[in-house]
Structure formats: C-alpha cells, structure tokens
mmCIF file of all heavy atoms in Angstrom:
data_model
loop_
_atom_site.group_PDB
_atom_site.id
_atom_site.type_symbol
_atom_site.label_atom_id
_atom_site.label_comp_id
_atom_site.label_asym_id
_atom_site.label_seq_id
_atom_site.Cartn_x
_atom_site.Cartn_y
_atom_site.Cartn_z
ATOM 1 N N SER A 1 125.514 79.867 130.291
ATOM 2 C CA SER A 1 124.625 79.724 129.148
ATOM 3 C C SER A 1 124.713 80.883 128.211
ATOM 4 O O SER A 1 124.667 80.708 126.941
ATOM 5 C CB SER A 1 123.134 79.647 129.638
ATOM 6 O OG SER A 1 123.027 78.498 130.507
ATOM 7 N N ARG A 2 124.879 82.069 128.740
ATOM 8 C CA ARG A 2 125.030 83.224 127.897
ATOM 9 C C ARG A 2 126.297 83.142 127.011
ATOM 10 O O ARG A 2 126.296 83.449 125.814
ATOM 11 C CB ARG A 2 125.134 84.491 128.765
ATOM 12 C CG ARG A 2 125.235 85.799 127.969
ATOM 13 C CD ARG A 2 125.615 86.949 128.813
ATOM 14 N NE ARG A 2 126.896 86.702 129.457
ATOM 15 C CZ ARG A 2 127.450 87.475 130.406
ATOM 16 N NH1 ARG A 2 126.791 88.533 130.822
ATOM 17 N NH2 ARG A 2 128.622 87.174 130.891
ATOM 18 N N GLU A 3 127.412 82.662 127.615
ATOM 19 C CA GLU A 3 128.648 82.556 126.846
ATOM 20 C C GLU A 3 128.507 81.480 125.775
ATOM 21 O O GLU A 3 129.024 81.581 124.650
ATOM 22 C CB GLU A 3 129.825 82.224 127.793
ATOM 23 C CG GLU A 3 130.161 83.351 128.729
ATOM 24 C CD GLU A 3 130.467 84.658 128.012
ATOM 25 O OE1 GLU A 3 131.207 84.611 126.996
ATOM 26 O OE2 GLU A 3 129.964 85.705 128.409
ATOM 27 N N LEU A 4 127.823 80.350 126.098
ATOM 28 C CA LEU A 4 127.607 79.343 125.096
ATOM 29 C C LEU A 4 126.764 79.895 123.909
ATOM 30 O O LEU A 4 127.087 79.600 122.749
ATOM 31 C CB LEU A 4 126.884 78.171 125.713
ATOM 32 C CG LEU A 4 127.714 77.268 126.683
ATOM 33 C CD1 LEU A 4 126.803 76.270 127.375
ATOM 34 C CD2 LEU A 4 128.843 76.567 125.953
ATOM 35 N N SER A 5 125.781 80.715 124.245
ATOM 36 C CA SER A 5 124.969 81.280 123.134
ATOM 37 C C SER A 5 125.807 82.195 122.286
ATOM 38 O O SER A 5 125.618 82.264 121.020
ATOM 39 C CB SER A 5 123.787 81.969 123.741
ATOM 40 O OG SER A 5 124.170 83.222 124.389
ATOM 41 N N ARG A 6 126.742 82.921 122.901
ATOM 42 C CA ARG A 6 127.606 83.807 122.091
ATOM 43 C C ARG A 6 128.528 83.041 121.190
ATOM 44 O O ARG A 6 128.799 83.445 120.045
ATOM 45 C CB ARG A 6 128.421 84.699 123.067
ATOM 46 C CG ARG A 6 127.624 85.812 123.729
ATOM 47 C CD ARG A 6 128.502 86.637 124.622
ATOM 48 N NE ARG A 6 127.724 87.759 125.249
ATOM 49 C CZ ARG A 6 128.170 88.548 126.186
ATOM 50 N NH1 ARG A 6 129.386 88.423 126.618
ATOM 51 N NH2 ARG A 6 127.430 89.517 126.622
ATOM 52 N N LEU A 7 129.003 81.897 121.672
ATOM 53 C CA LEU A 7 129.872 81.048 120.844
ATOM 54 C C LEU A 7 129.134 80.528 119.606
ATOM 55 O O LEU A 7 129.716 80.306 118.587
ATOM 56 C CB LEU A 7 130.391 79.845 121.643
ATOM 57 C CG LEU A 7 131.441 80.128 122.725
ATOM 58 C CD1 LEU A 7 131.738 78.922 123.544
ATOM 59 C CD2 LEU A 7 132.734 80.608 122.061
ATOM 60 N N LEU A 8 127.812 80.416 119.723
ATOM 61 C CA LEU A 8 127.007 79.988 118.600
ATOM 62 C C LEU A 8 126.497 81.197 117.799
ATOM 63 O O LEU A 8 125.631 81.066 116.972
ATOM 64 C CB LEU A 8 125.753 79.191 119.147
ATOM 65 C CG LEU A 8 126.118 77.886 119.829
ATOM 66 C CD1 LEU A 8 124.890 77.288 120.532
ATOM 67 C CD2 LEU A 8 126.644 76.895 118.824
ATOM 68 N N ARG A 9 127.030 82.367 118.082
ATOM 69 C CA ARG A 9 126.698 83.646 117.392
ATOM 70 C C ARG A 9 125.237 84.059 117.689
ATOM 71 O O ARG A 9 124.572 84.617 116.835
ATOM 72 C CB ARG A 9 126.882 83.523 115.869
ATOM 73 C CG ARG A 9 128.292 83.098 115.486
ATOM 74 C CD ARG A 9 129.345 84.145 115.817
ATOM 75 N NE ARG A 9 130.601 83.790 115.146
ATOM 76 C CZ ARG A 9 131.551 83.043 115.697
ATOM 77 N NH1 ARG A 9 131.363 82.584 116.928
ATOM 78 N NH2 ARG A 9 132.661 82.788 115.038
ATOM 79 N N GLY A 10 124.764 83.704 118.877
ATOM 80 C CA GLY A 10 123.425 84.035 119.238
ATOM 81 C C GLY A 10 123.389 84.857 120.557
ATOM 82 O O GLY A 10 124.410 85.353 120.981
ATOM 83 N N GLU A 11 122.261 84.872 121.210
ATOM 84 C CA GLU A 11 122.167 85.575 122.490
ATOM 85 C C GLU A 11 120.965 85.005 123.272
ATOM 86 O O GLU A 11 120.039 84.448 122.722
ATOM 87 C CB GLU A 11 122.055 87.042 122.330
ATOM 88 C CG GLU A 11 120.733 87.512 121.706
ATOM 89 C CD GLU A 11 120.586 89.030 121.736
ATOM 90 O OE1 GLU A 11 121.614 89.738 121.833
ATOM 91 O OE2 GLU A 11 119.432 89.487 121.652
ATOM 92 N N ILE A 12 120.985 85.220 124.581
ATOM 93 C CA ILE A 12 119.900 84.898 125.468
ATOM 94 C C ILE A 12 119.269 86.189 125.985
ATOM 95 O O ILE A 12 120.008 87.070 126.397
ATOM 96 C CB ILE A 12 120.339 84.026 126.642
ATOM 97 C CG1 ILE A 12 120.676 82.625 126.193
ATOM 98 C CG2 ILE A 12 119.274 83.966 127.761
ATOM 99 C CD1 ILE A 12 121.142 81.708 127.291
ATOM 100 N N ARG A 13 117.945 86.265 125.973
ATOM 101 C CA ARG A 13 117.245 87.395 126.561
ATOM 102 C C ARG A 13 116.355 86.841 127.706
ATOM 103 O O ARG A 13 115.885 85.733 127.629
ATOM 104 C CB ARG A 13 116.348 88.098 125.577
ATOM 105 C CG ARG A 13 117.129 88.951 124.544
ATOM 106 C CD ARG A 13 116.111 89.674 123.636
ATOM 107 N NE ARG A 13 116.782 90.603 122.732
ATOM 108 C CZ ARG A 13 116.102 91.450 121.939
ATOM 109 N NH1 ARG A 13 114.805 91.482 122.003
ATOM 110 N NH2 ARG A 13 116.745 92.244 121.131
ATOM 111 N N LEU A 14 116.179 87.695 128.676
ATOM 112 C CA LEU A 14 115.375 87.279 129.834
ATOM 113 C C LEU A 14 114.413 88.370 130.232
ATOM 114 O O LEU A 14 114.802 89.540 130.321
ATOM 115 C CB LEU A 14 116.336 86.961 131.048
ATOM 116 C CG LEU A 14 115.690 86.877 132.408
ATOM 117 C CD1 LEU A 14 114.675 85.707 132.428
ATOM 118 C CD2 LEU A 14 116.723 86.726 133.510
ATOM 119 N N VAL A 15 113.130 87.989 130.397
ATOM 120 C CA VAL A 15 112.128 88.862 130.952
ATOM 121 C C VAL A 15 111.659 88.214 132.276
ATOM 122 O O VAL A 15 111.277 87.072 132.283
ATOM 123 C CB VAL A 15 110.946 89.051 130.000
ATOM 124 C CG1 VAL A 15 109.936 90.065 130.626
ATOM 125 C CG2 VAL A 15 111.397 89.527 128.658
ATOM 126 N N SER A 16 111.707 88.969 133.376
ATOM 127 C CA SER A 16 111.313 88.346 134.647
ATOM 128 C C SER A 16 110.517 89.331 135.476
ATOM 129 O O SER A 16 110.882 90.527 135.526
ATOM 130 C CB SER A 16 112.577 87.959 135.437
ATOM 131 O OG SER A 16 112.234 87.262 136.614
ATOM 132 N N ALA A 17 109.415 88.867 136.073
ATOM 133 C CA ALA A 17 108.612 89.705 136.914
ATOM 134 C C ALA A 17 108.269 88.958 138.182
ATOM 135 O O ALA A 17 107.880 87.805 138.099
ATOM 136 C CB ALA A 17 107.324 90.085 136.154
ATOM 137 N N PRO A 18 108.456 89.593 139.337
ATOM 138 C CA PRO A 18 108.117 88.947 140.614
ATOM 139 C C PRO A 18 106.722 88.382 140.640
ATOM 140 O O PRO A 18 105.791 89.051 140.179
ATOM 141 C CB PRO A 18 108.349 90.040 141.676
ATOM 142 C CG PRO A 18 109.283 90.971 140.984
ATOM 143 C CD PRO A 18 108.969 90.963 139.515
ATOM 144 N N SER A 19 106.557 87.168 141.152
ATOM 145 C CA SER A 19 105.227 86.528 141.302
ATOM 146 C C SER A 19 104.564 86.152 139.944
ATOM 147 O O SER A 19 103.466 85.604 139.940
ATOM 148 C CB SER A 19 104.258 87.414 142.099
ATOM 149 O OG SER A 19 104.821 87.692 143.358
ATOM 150 N N LYS A 20 105.205 86.455 138.821
ATOM 151 C CA LYS A 20 104.651 86.079 137.537
ATOM 152 C C LYS A 20 105.470 85.023 136.872
ATOM 153 O O LYS A 20 104.905 84.214 136.093
ATOM 154 C CB LYS A 20 104.518 87.335 136.666
ATOM 155 C CG LYS A 20 103.533 88.345 137.134
ATOM 156 C CD LYS A 20 103.406 89.533 136.195
ATOM 157 C CE LYS A 20 102.379 90.541 136.720
ATOM 158 N NZ LYS A 20 102.247 91.679 135.729
ATOM 159 N N GLY A 21 106.810 85.054 137.015
ATOM 160 C CA GLY A 21 107.631 84.101 136.343
ATOM 161 C C GLY A 21 108.627 84.743 135.393
ATOM 162 O O GLY A 21 108.764 85.943 135.328
ATOM 163 N N SER A 22 109.315 83.852 134.683
ATOM 164 C CA SER A 22 110.423 84.306 133.817
ATOM 165 C C SER A 22 110.262 83.698 132.424
ATOM 166 O O SER A 22 109.847 82.582 132.294
ATOM 167 C CB SER A 22 111.775 83.994 134.394
ATOM 168 O OG SER A 22 111.924 84.532 135.719
ATOM 169 N N VAL A 23 110.697 84.458 131.437
ATOM 170 C CA VAL A 23 110.739 83.950 130.072
ATOM 171 C C VAL A 23 112.211 84.083 129.557
ATOM 172 O O VAL A 23 112.745 85.187 129.487
ATOM 173 C CB VAL A 23 109.817 84.726 129.103
ATOM 174 C CG1 VAL A 23 109.979 84.208 127.655
ATOM 175 C CG2 VAL A 23 108.399 84.582 129.546
ATOM 176 N N PHE A 24 112.814 82.931 129.232
ATOM 177 C CA PHE A 24 114.154 82.926 128.642
ATOM 178 C C PHE A 24 113.997 82.709 127.167
ATOM 179 O O PHE A 24 113.311 81.750 126.748
ATOM 180 C CB PHE A 24 115.010 81.757 129.235
ATOM 181 C CG PHE A 24 115.339 81.939 130.688
ATOM 182 C CD1 PHE A 24 114.413 81.499 131.667
ATOM 183 C CD2 PHE A 24 116.517 82.503 131.084
ATOM 184 C CE1 PHE A 24 114.703 81.639 133.015
ATOM 185 C CE2 PHE A 24 116.810 82.638 132.449
ATOM 186 C CZ PHE A 24 115.929 82.223 133.404
ATOM 187 N N SER A 25 114.557 83.564 126.340
ATOM 188 C CA SER A 25 114.469 83.409 124.863
ATOM 189 C C SER A 25 115.895 83.285 124.311
ATOM 190 O O SER A 25 116.727 84.111 124.533
ATOM 191 C CB SER A 25 113.816 84.625 124.217
ATOM 192 O OG SER A 25 112.506 84.807 124.775
ATOM 193 N N LEU A 26 116.128 82.188 123.607
ATOM 194 C CA LEU A 26 117.428 81.904 123.001
ATOM 195 C C LEU A 26 117.324 82.189 121.500
ATOM 196 O O LEU A 26 116.523 81.587 120.804
ATOM 197 C CB LEU A 26 117.861 80.455 123.220
ATOM 198 C CG LEU A 26 119.096 79.979 122.451
ATOM 199 C CD1 LEU A 26 120.351 80.735 122.856
ATOM 200 C CD2 LEU A 26 119.319 78.481 122.681
ATOM 201 N N TYR A 27 118.134 83.098 121.000
ATOM 202 C CA TYR A 27 118.145 83.468 119.603
ATOM 203 C C TYR A 27 119.401 82.894 118.957
ATOM 204 O O TYR A 27 120.509 83.116 119.461
ATOM 205 C CB TYR A 27 118.109 84.968 119.404
ATOM 206 C CG TYR A 27 116.868 85.628 119.888
ATOM 207 C CD1 TYR A 27 116.782 86.204 121.162
ATOM 208 C CD2 TYR A 27 115.718 85.702 119.076
ATOM 209 C CE1 TYR A 27 115.614 86.721 121.620
ATOM 210 C CE2 TYR A 27 114.540 86.289 119.528
ATOM 211 C CZ TYR A 27 114.482 86.831 120.812
ATOM 212 O OH TYR A 27 113.347 87.425 121.274
ATOM 213 N N LEU A 28 119.244 82.131 117.859
ATOM 214 C CA LEU A 28 120.387 81.579 117.109
ATOM 215 C C LEU A 28 120.202 81.845 115.644
ATOM 216 O O LEU A 28 119.086 81.852 115.115
ATOM 217 C CB LEU A 28 120.520 80.072 117.359
ATOM 218 C CG LEU A 28 120.813 79.611 118.768
ATOM 219 C CD1 LEU A 28 120.766 78.080 118.848
ATOM 220 C CD2 LEU A 28 122.133 80.162 119.255
ATOM 221 N N PRO A 29 121.274 82.136 114.913
ATOM 222 C CA PRO A 29 121.175 82.334 113.451
ATOM 223 C C PRO A 29 120.765 81.019 112.756
ATOM 224 O O PRO A 29 121.138 79.931 113.198
ATOM 225 C CB PRO A 29 122.571 82.751 113.046
ATOM 226 C CG PRO A 29 123.452 82.199 114.114
ATOM 227 C CD PRO A 29 122.668 82.275 115.376
ATOM 228 N N GLN A 30 119.955 81.122 111.754
ATOM 229 C CA GLN A 30 119.573 79.914 110.998
ATOM 230 C C GLN A 30 120.746 79.284 110.320
ATOM 231 O O GLN A 30 120.844 78.068 110.160
ATOM 232 C CB GLN A 30 118.488 80.248 109.937
ATOM 233 C CG GLN A 30 117.145 80.593 110.576
ATOM 234 C CD GLN A 30 116.071 80.900 109.546
ATOM 235 O OE1 GLN A 30 116.398 81.378 108.444
ATOM 236 N NE2 GLN A 30 114.815 80.574 109.869
ATOM 237 N N VAL A 31 121.683 80.099 109.849
ATOM 238 C CA VAL A 31 122.912 79.623 109.225
ATOM 239 C C VAL A 31 124.106 80.083 110.098
ATOM 240 O O VAL A 31 124.231 81.288 110.331
ATOM 241 C CB VAL A 31 123.106 80.170 107.808
ATOM 242 C CG1 VAL A 31 124.367 79.647 107.184
ATOM 243 C CG2 VAL A 31 121.892 79.709 106.949
ATOM 244 N N PHE A 32 124.934 79.159 110.539
ATOM 245 C CA PHE A 32 126.051 79.524 111.420
ATOM 246 C C PHE A 32 127.062 80.298 110.618
ATOM 247 O O PHE A 32 127.542 79.824 109.570
ATOM 248 C CB PHE A 32 126.676 78.256 111.976
ATOM 249 C CG PHE A 32 127.732 78.543 113.024
ATOM 250 C CD1 PHE A 32 127.339 78.903 114.322
ATOM 251 C CD2 PHE A 32 129.089 78.478 112.727
ATOM 252 C CE1 PHE A 32 128.284 79.191 115.290
ATOM 253 C CE2 PHE A 32 130.051 78.727 113.697
ATOM 254 C CZ PHE A 32 129.624 79.079 114.967
ATOM 255 N N PRO A 33 127.453 81.475 111.039
ATOM 256 C CA PRO A 33 128.405 82.308 110.280
ATOM 257 C C PRO A 33 129.796 81.665 110.247
ATOM 258 O O PRO A 33 130.126 80.851 111.130
ATOM 259 C CB PRO A 33 128.440 83.648 111.065
ATOM 260 C CG PRO A 33 127.359 83.545 112.062
ATOM 261 C CD PRO A 33 127.023 82.107 112.268
ATOM 262 N N PRO A 34 130.619 82.005 109.302
ATOM 263 C CA PRO A 34 131.999 81.508 109.219
ATOM 264 C C PRO A 34 132.759 81.825 110.503
ATOM 265 O O PRO A 34 132.501 82.843 111.148
ATOM 266 C CB PRO A 34 132.600 82.191 108.015
ATOM 267 C CG PRO A 34 131.418 82.705 107.233
ATOM 268 C CD PRO A 34 130.336 82.925 108.198
ATOM 269 N N THR A 35 133.708 80.951 110.818
ATOM 270 C CA THR A 35 134.558 81.242 111.949
ATOM 271 C C THR A 35 135.391 82.445 111.718
ATOM 272 O O THR A 35 135.904 82.683 110.621
ATOM 273 C CB THR A 35 135.508 80.027 112.279
ATOM 274 O OG1 THR A 35 134.736 78.865 112.459
ATOM 275 C CG2 THR A 35 136.376 80.264 113.470
ATOM 276 N N ARG A 36 135.528 83.294 112.770
ATOM 277 C CA ARG A 36 136.285 84.520 112.612
ATOM 278 C C ARG A 36 137.780 84.184 112.359
ATOM 279 O O ARG A 36 138.335 83.383 113.006
ATOM 280 C CB ARG A 36 136.181 85.387 113.856
ATOM 281 C CG ARG A 36 134.767 85.845 114.124
ATOM 282 C CD ARG A 36 134.681 86.658 115.382
ATOM 283 N NE ARG A 36 133.334 86.992 115.700
ATOM 284 C CZ ARG A 36 132.947 87.704 116.728
ATOM 285 N NH1 ARG A 36 133.890 88.151 117.602
ATOM 286 N NH2 ARG A 36 131.714 87.995 116.957
ATOM 287 N N GLN A 37 138.322 84.947 111.403
ATOM 288 C CA GLN A 37 139.786 84.732 111.113
ATOM 289 C C GLN A 37 140.566 85.705 111.979
ATOM 290 O O GLN A 37 140.169 86.839 112.246
ATOM 291 C CB GLN A 37 140.029 85.081 109.655
ATOM 292 C CG GLN A 37 139.316 84.083 108.681
ATOM 293 C CD GLN A 37 139.764 82.651 108.883
ATOM 294 O OE1 GLN A 37 140.926 82.390 109.097
ATOM 295 N NE2 GLN A 37 138.783 81.738 108.828
ATOM 296 N N PRO A 38 141.767 85.339 112.376
ATOM 297 C CA PRO A 38 142.649 86.220 113.190
ATOM 298 C C PRO A 38 142.889 87.535 112.433
ATOM 299 O O PRO A 38 143.147 87.523 111.227
ATOM 300 C CB PRO A 38 143.942 85.426 113.347
ATOM 301 C CG PRO A 38 143.537 84.027 113.148
ATOM 302 C CD PRO A 38 142.399 84.018 112.226
ATOM 303 N N ARG A 39 142.787 88.679 113.201
ATOM 304 C CA ARG A 39 143.068 89.995 112.735
ATOM 305 C C ARG A 39 142.111 90.459 111.621
ATOM 306 O O ARG A 39 142.298 91.441 110.911
ATOM 307 C CB ARG A 39 144.522 90.129 112.186
ATOM 308 C CG ARG A 39 145.513 89.806 113.254
ATOM 309 C CD ARG A 39 146.947 90.062 112.702
ATOM 310 N NE ARG A 39 147.945 89.726 113.701
ATOM 311 C CZ ARG A 39 148.367 90.470 114.725
ATOM 312 N NH1 ARG A 39 147.808 91.686 114.802
ATOM 313 N NH2 ARG A 39 149.265 90.094 115.553
ATOM 314 N N LYS A 40 141.017 89.676 111.393
ATOM 315 C CA LYS A 40 139.996 90.059 110.447
ATOM 316 C C LYS A 40 138.619 89.999 111.102
ATOM 317 O O LYS A 40 137.678 89.416 110.543
ATOM 318 C CB LYS A 40 140.061 89.234 109.174
ATOM 319 C CG LYS A 40 141.369 89.403 108.400
ATOM 320 C CD LYS A 40 141.348 88.591 107.135
ATOM 321 C CE LYS A 40 142.601 88.706 106.305
ATOM 322 N NZ LYS A 40 142.620 87.917 105.080
ATOM 323 N N THR A 41 138.552 90.545 112.288
ATOM 324 C CA THR A 41 137.339 90.358 113.098
ATOM 325 C C THR A 41 136.163 91.204 112.557
ATOM 326 O O THR A 41 135.005 90.827 112.810
ATOM 327 C CB THR A 41 137.608 90.740 114.544
ATOM 328 O OG1 THR A 41 138.065 92.091 114.560
ATOM 329 C CG2 THR A 41 138.639 89.818 115.137
#
C-alpha cells in the first residue's frame, strides 16, 4: 500500500497505540504531477 501511494505521488501515515487502535491516513495531491522524465528527476 505504501508503494502504491508513492506511485500516486502521495504517502501513508500511521498512528497506532496498544489497546486504542490505529489511524491510517492517505495523503494524495489534488492534482497529479507530471510523469517524471528520464534524467530530469
């Protein structure tokens, strides 16, 4: 899932506490950036 989010130019964050639960947050750009060009990263 983390790699998929990176392909979308985003990221996943996780907050987790024993006996309380976990929060997964997926951040994605509102506008998908242009595809990276070779040698112009």
